[in-house]
Amino acid sequence: MYLAIDGGGTKTEYLLLDQEFKTVGRHLGGCINHDFLEGGWDGTKRELLNGVRTLTGNNGAHISDIKDVAAGLAGIDNGRDQEEIEGIFREIGFREFTACNDGFLTVWGECPGGVGIAYNCGTAVCCAGIDESGRMEKTAGFDEWSGDAGGGNWIVQNVFRLAYRSLVLHRKETAFAAAYRRRFSLKTEADFLNSWSMLKDAGGYPDMRKDAIALFFEQLEAGEEGAAELAEQMALCGAENIRALTERLVFSESPVSVVLTGSIHTKAANRTYLALLERRIRERTALPFTMTMASGTPAEGAARHIRGKWEGSARRPGMFG
């Protein structure tokens, strides 16, 4: 049997595949990103082990039955992270596995021949690419340290910041601030400040955070100035990361496949933002490209990678190999 894993900052999807690479079991677990878990890498190991045991146990299998694993995991951002996760996989008992940042799953699953670039805006931001030689490169994923703009956390923080600037610093009700107050039924400044406590609690108030993201895109569509400024930061972040990968990797065939993935792109973003993003990419990227929206799940990309590997396709080198 085979195992495909898509591990993120909020949830992790596990797929159990039979010898014909058909999905025979599925389990949805929690966050595996060591940056967000109590105990760091120990937390990652605990969550992975619980998820795998639940999946195999529910399907009458054991970890020892797993022939190979393809896993894309949020939080694998450098060589030290790679060493940590490989050690964890060995400790769990996997004999053969491919572990990389979760951004690569979309390239495996959505780009023709597994060659192209995936730009993800979900909880956070990640940009990953694979070229014809199998070389894998990633940018972004370090939040404010790498200037990331466009993930759900970033949008929620900046929505509050825009309203704070108006209502608290300047005591001036802009269109954005008024929309914020209406959305959350806030009457006083104390009500507004209390909304911060809820917005920063991702686990306790997920619907409120979704409303904040929806509010941002609604205001962007309405042409609100503050929302437009945030959208410009987001689009420039995406364009710069995609440009960097077209220069770091070798794409001899054009156009380059650029796939957008993550909940911000696939669920929240409107046409105004997507058009702006494409425009900024074209201004900064020399190579011709096509921009499409992901249609499958990242876990399916991991499953596709396993199938290609064991059906005789050339094995891809590791992220740092």
Side-chain angles (χ1 to χ4, degrees):
M1 307 189 85
Y2 304 93
L3 178 61
I5 304 175
D6 168 32
T10 54
K11 63 183 182 298
T12 299
E13 185 174 12
Y14 303 80
L15 302 180
L16 188 64
L17 313 176
D18 64 15
Q19 291 299 313
E20 296 180 348
F21 310 102
K22 295 179 180 178
T23 300
V24 295
R26 187 186 304 265
H27 172 65
L28 191 64
C31 167
I32 56 79
N33 189 333
H34 68 98
D35 292 322
F36 302 152
L37 289 171
E38 184 177 353
W41 286 109
D42 288 338
T44 295
K45 180 181 177 181
R46 180 184 63 250
E47 292 297 324
L48 282 171
L49 192 54
N50 287 342
V52 173
R53 282 176 172 169
T54 300
L55 176 67
T56 54
N58 288 345
N59 291 276
H62 301 87
I63 291 176
S64 59
D65 297 324
I66 305 298
K67 183 177 181 180
D68 195 5
V69 183
L73 308 175
I76 304 180
D77 294 312
N78 55 39
R80 294 182 65 181
D81 294 337
Q82 189 74 25
E83 291 174 4
E84 290 281 358
I85 199 64
E86 289 179 0
I88 287 173
F89 271 53
R90 294 188 187 98
E91 290 170 9
I92 289 174
F94 295 128
R95 298 181 299 276
E96 184 157 1
F97 57 85
T98 301
C100 59
N101 183 274
D102 58 333
F104 294 106
L105 300 186
T106 297
V107 183
W108 286 339
E110 304 275 346
C111 296
V115 174
I117 296 171
Y119 183 52
N120 177 76
C121 285
T123 304
V125 171
C126 173
C127 193
I130 306 175
D131 66 15
E132 291 96 333
S133 71
R135 181 176 175 83
M136 304 167 77
E137 291 279 355
K138 185 190 81 70
T139 58
F142 299 97
D143 297 322
E144 63 270 17
W145 294 85
S146 50
D148 298 347
N153 287 338
W154 183 91
I155 293 175
V156 170
Q157 290 171 4
N158 279 278
V159 163
F160 179 83
R161 187 176 298 163
L162 274 180
Y164 181 90
R165 186 187 307 163
S166 299
L167 297 176
V168 177
L169 296 185
H170 299 293
R171 292 187 175 273
K172 174 184 177 183
E173 186 157 290
T174 62
F176 194 100
Y180 184 101
R181 283 200 310 104
R182 288 194 301 271
R183 177 62 65 109
F184 300 120
S185 302
L186 310 176
K187 299 187 182 315
T188 67
E189 183 175 302
D191 291 338
F192 168 70
L193 294 175
N194 286 337
S195 73
W196 170 72
S197 298
M198 293 182 283
L199 285 177
K200 69 175 182 169
D201 184 359
Y205 297 88
D207 290 339
M208 187 173 181
R209 290 169 63 87
K210 290 178 183 177
D211 280 346
I213 293 169
L215 172 66
F216 159 66
F217 284 111
E218 289 168 7
Q219 290 299 299
L220 175 62
E221 196 70 25
E224 202 280 329
E225 183 179 357
E229 291 176 0
L230 294 185
E232 183 68 21
Q233 293 178 53
M234 291 169 59
L236 288 175
C237 175
E240 282 297 290
N241 278 281
I242 291 167
R243 175 202 57 75
L245 289 189
T246 63
E247 295 174 358
R248 293 167 68 92
L249 297 168
V250 178
F251 296 106
S252 58
E253 297 183 9
S254 62
V256 178
S257 175
V258 174
V259 180
L260 305 182
T261 186
S263 58
I264 298 302
H265 287 145
T266 61
K267 297 179 181 179
N270 54 26
R271 288 179 295 178
T272 299
Y273 173 68
L274 294 175
L276 176 63
L277 174 61
E278 182 171 7
R279 190 158 62 248
R280 294 296 178 256
I281 297 171
R282 294 198 183 282
E283 291 171 355
R284 286 161 174 76
T285 303
L287 294 178
F289 69 91
T290 60
M291 191 175 85
T292 58
M293 198 71 69
S295 57
T297 67
E300 291 168 349
R304 182 175 176 182
H305 176 72
I306 288 177
R307 180 169 186 165
K309 174 180 174 180
W310 290 96
E311 282 188 339
S313 296
R315 295 181 61 170
R316 299 220 184 264
M319 180 176 175
F320 297 97

